[in-house]
Amino acid sequence: MTLVLATQAPGEPEIFASVQGEGPSAGTPVAFLRLSRCNLACVWCDTAYTWHFEGDERPHRSGEHFDRKANQVELDEADVAARIAALGQKRLVITGGEPTMQAGKLAAMLEHLPDMQVEIETNGTVDPPARLDFRVDQYNVSPKLAHSGNPAELALKPEMLDRWATDERAFCKFVIAQPGDVDEVLALVKTHMIPAHRVFLMPEGTDSQTVRQREEWLVPLCLEHGFRMSDRLHIHLFGDTRGT
């Protein structure tokens, strides 16, 4: 059984150790596994190389398309697990792309890592099967707002938002590009009764200056509504680069 991974360089899977840059685990030493493919298409996505391949006409603001062969690699589940274990970390962050598109294969891979703490970053549109769900210690759910360019019927599924609202392991991390985006967050939080202490607002931006500028008006909004703020630590440390 093989997993489809993103690459750091052609043929080199994006499996690496770093500190988590976002959400409730920010600053924590972790191993990262980045998978390829996504069921959504955010116009500002900072990992478009995981899905915006030649022939994909879904819009992205860069206009760039990526060669699939250079940006995807398939590895056996045991090989992936061995590479993760070799990094020597206690916690694994599985990201993408959209990891739940390969849920069954992920569950099989994690059987090789029985003592690993597991954190999954997801757009929240796919309900993880029980075989995977029982291994997950934390979900970083990022529901996509209107400015992402995704149709609401694809990106904001009511039954899934209800599911995350009642799961204490799930933290909802909303990408915010302008102050008005928070109105959409407030509506979703109210409708689905998402606890405020599990809501993060994170500035959209792929350079440190943009992130910092947006945080200046994002902090008062967090104070006003009782939400938490997520920085993008990896952007400040490494820039918008792969394998960091």
Side-chain angles (χ1 to χ4, degrees), residues 94-187:
I94 304 172
T95 188
E98 175 48 50
T100 57
M101 292 180 69
Q102 302 184 62
K105 296 176 181 180
L106 276 177
M109 186 275 292
L110 289 172
E111 291 177 3
H112 298 277
L113 299 168
D115 299 321
M116 204 93 179
Q117 296 176 345
V118 178
E119 186 173 325
I120 289 184
E121 299 189 332
T122 174
N123 60 35
T125 62
V126 179
D127 195 6
R131 184 184 177 195
L132 175 62
D133 182 64
F134 93 97
R135 282 299 316 274
V136 179
D137 297 281
Q138 180 177 308
Y139 287 103
N140 301 327
V141 184
S142 184
K144 305 308 180 187
L145 304 178
H147 68 87
S148 71
N150 293 288
E153 60 268 22
L154 295 180
L156 300 172
K157 297 184 177 181
E159 69 278 9
M160 288 306 302
L161 291 169
D162 288 342
R163 179 248 195 268
W164 301 122
T166 57
D167 190 334
E168 291 291 334
R169 300 169 297 168
F171 295 83
C172 289
K173 181 182 65 182
F174 294 94
V175 177
I176 306 297
Q178 57 186 5
D181 296 335
V182 179
D183 292 337
E184 192 175 349
V185 175
L186 291 170

Side-chain angles (χ1 to χ4, degrees), residues 8-244:
Q8 300 184 65
E12 181 182 350
E14 198 167 358
I15 300 172
F16 60 97
S18 188
V19 292
Q20 170 64 292
E22 302 174 353
S25 303
T28 303
V30 296
F32 272 97
L33 165 63
R34 186 177 301 281
L35 299 178
S36 189
R37 298 161 44 198
C38 192
N39 60 334
L40 297 182
C42 298
V43 295
W44 38 254
C45 178
D46 60 358
T47 57
Y49 60 90
T50 65
W51 60 271
H52 205 228
F53 302 122
E54 299 289 346
D56 190 331
E57 297 306 317
R58 295 179 294 176
H60 188 268
R61 66 184 176 190
S62 70
E64 183 178 5
H65 286 81
F66 296 87
D67 179 71
R68 186 184 295 271
K69 289 184 179 180
N71 290 279
Q72 276 188 350
V73 62
E74 294 191 25
L75 293 179
D76 178 83
E77 64 191 50
D79 187 3
V80 173
R83 291 171 185 250
I84 292 168
L87 296 173
Q89 302 302 314
K90 297 179 180 179
R91 191 173 184 89
L92 171 64
V93 176
I94 304 172
T95 188
E98 175 48 50
T100 57
M101 292 180 69
Q102 302 184 62
K105 296 176 181 180
L106 276 177
M109 186 275 292
L110 289 172
E111 291 177 3
H112 298 277
L113 299 168
D115 299 321
M116 204 93 179
Q117 296 176 345
V118 178
E119 186 173 325
I120 289 184
E121 299 189 332
T122 174
N123 60 35
T125 62
V126 179
D127 195 6
R131 184 184 177 195
L132 175 62
D133 182 64
F134 93 97
R135 282 299 316 274
V136 179
D137 297 281
Q138 180 177 308
Y139 287 103
N140 301 327
V141 184
S142 184
K144 305 308 180 187
L145 304 178
H147 68 87
S148 71
N150 293 288
E153 60 268 22
L154 295 180
L156 300 172
K157 297 184 177 181
E159 69 278 9
M160 288 306 302
L161 291 169
D162 288 342
R163 179 248 195 268
W164 301 122
T166 57
D167 190 334
E168 291 291 334
R169 300 169 297 168
F171 295 83
C172 289
K173 181 182 65 182
F174 294 94
V175 177
I176 306 297
Q178 57 186 5
D181 296 335
V182 179
D183 292 337
E184 192 175 349
V185 175
L186 291 170
L188 291 169
V189 166
K190 181 179 180 180
T191 299
H192 301 283
M193 295 184 289
I194 305 172
H197 71 276
R198 289 197 277 116
V199 173
F200 281 79
L201 304 183
M202 185 179 74
E204 191 277 315
T206 54
D207 65 88
S208 192
Q209 181 179 5
T210 299
V211 170
R212 291 298 189 211
Q213 287 175 342
R214 289 176 172 168
E215 286 175 341
E216 290 180 4
W217 48 256
L218 198 55
V219 169
L221 288 168
C222 288
L223 290 171
E224 179 181 354
H225 300 295
F227 298 146
R228 300 166 71 177
M229 195 197 76
S230 174
D231 198 2
R232 305 201 73 205
L233 183 60
H234 54 297
I235 295 295
H236 304 308
L237 293 175
F238 310 112
D240 184 21
T241 55
R242 304 191 195 192
T244 56

